[in-house]
Amino acid sequence: MEAFWISLGAIFLAELGDKSQLMAMTFAARHKAWVVLTGITIATTAVHLGSVAIGGLIGDALPTTAISVVAGVAFLGFALWTLRGDELTEEESRKASRATRSALIAVTVAFFLSELGDKTMLATITLATSYGWVGTWIGSTVGMVAADALAILVGRLLGRNLPEKAVRYGAAAAFALFGVVMLVDALVLS
């Protein structure tokens, strides 16, 4: 359960202000919310399964202290990445608006491709090096889907008046806190 809750929280925070949320809002403006969420869930389940497999292999091959130091530094990097922010490119926006024939397939493929190498994938790999793969997989998937569902809901309610900077700064602070805690745990408490 620890892996589930930590992964859910970390990935939920990682997803705040991410381009995936912008894609979710774009798709939801044109398609039913349940179709968009189903596509996100399918894509996220697949990407995060691969991520925990990679993380599990790395976790078995490296010493625990080294993993914790790398994970702490990675989370500090995620904090900086979050501060920088993500934007939906014109091409990604055009793909989202053109998808009319099979919305579920379009959403699934778009999210799958956009998540490859994204910070949520890298965060899931990092978490899987230290925690159980099943809990990390399920928690990271639920965290991402919940964050994107929130984006769709808030986007529909508030339109474009979202406090993007406040969300970005809050998520970056949480990542920095995770990073510092992991580094202190690895370097001081071990």
Side-chain angles (χ1 to χ4, degrees):
M1 284 307 289
E2 180 184 25
F4 171 81
W5 289 111
I6 289 172
S7 298
L8 187 150
I11 299 305
F12 181 86
L13 291 172
E15 191 63 13
L16 295 178
D18 193 72
K19 70 180 175 185
S20 300
Q21 285 191 312
L22 298 173
M23 285 178 58
M25 284 189 236
T26 302
F27 276 120
R30 187 169 180 129
H31 305 290
K32 294 180 191 238
W34 73 267
V35 172
V36 176
L37 284 176
T38 302
I40 291 169
T41 303
I42 293 167
T44 302
T45 300
V47 170
H48 289 200
L49 180 59
S51 299
V52 296
I54 292 167
L57 291 173
I58 292 170
D60 289 343
L62 297 174
T64 306
T65 302
I67 291 170
S68 294
V69 169
V70 170
V73 171
F75 273 93
L76 292 173
F78 298 148
L80 293 174
W81 189 346
T82 300
L83 280 176
R84 185 197 76 196
D86 266 340
E87 291 184 13
L88 196 59
T89 66
E90 282 187 39
E91 181 181 341
E92 289 168 328
S93 186
R94 277 196 308 272
K95 284 180 186 175
S97 64
R98 277 196 313 248
T100 56
R101 198 160 51 128
S102 180
L104 180 61
I105 292 171
V107 171
T108 302
V109 170
F111 272 86
F112 181 85
L113 294 175
S114 74
E115 286 305 306
L116 295 177
D118 194 49
K119 69 182 169 194
T120 51
M121 179 186 179
L122 299 175
T124 301
I125 291 170
T126 303
L127 289 164
T129 63
S130 301
Y131 299 99
W133 74 270
V134 174
T136 301
W137 177 42
I138 296 169
S140 64
T141 300
V142 170
M144 185 165 164
V145 172
D148 288 337
L150 179 65
I152 292 168
L153 178 66
V154 172
R156 286 184 175 219
L157 292 175
L158 299 178
R160 296 210 173 254
N161 298 324
L162 298 174
E164 186 179 331
K165 279 188 178 180
V167 170
R168 190 175 341 141
Y169 291 150
F175 268 122
L177 179 64
F178 279 134
V180 169
V181 167
M182 287 179 142
L183 286 172
V184 167
D185 185 44
L187 300 175
V188 177
L189 302 176
S190 295

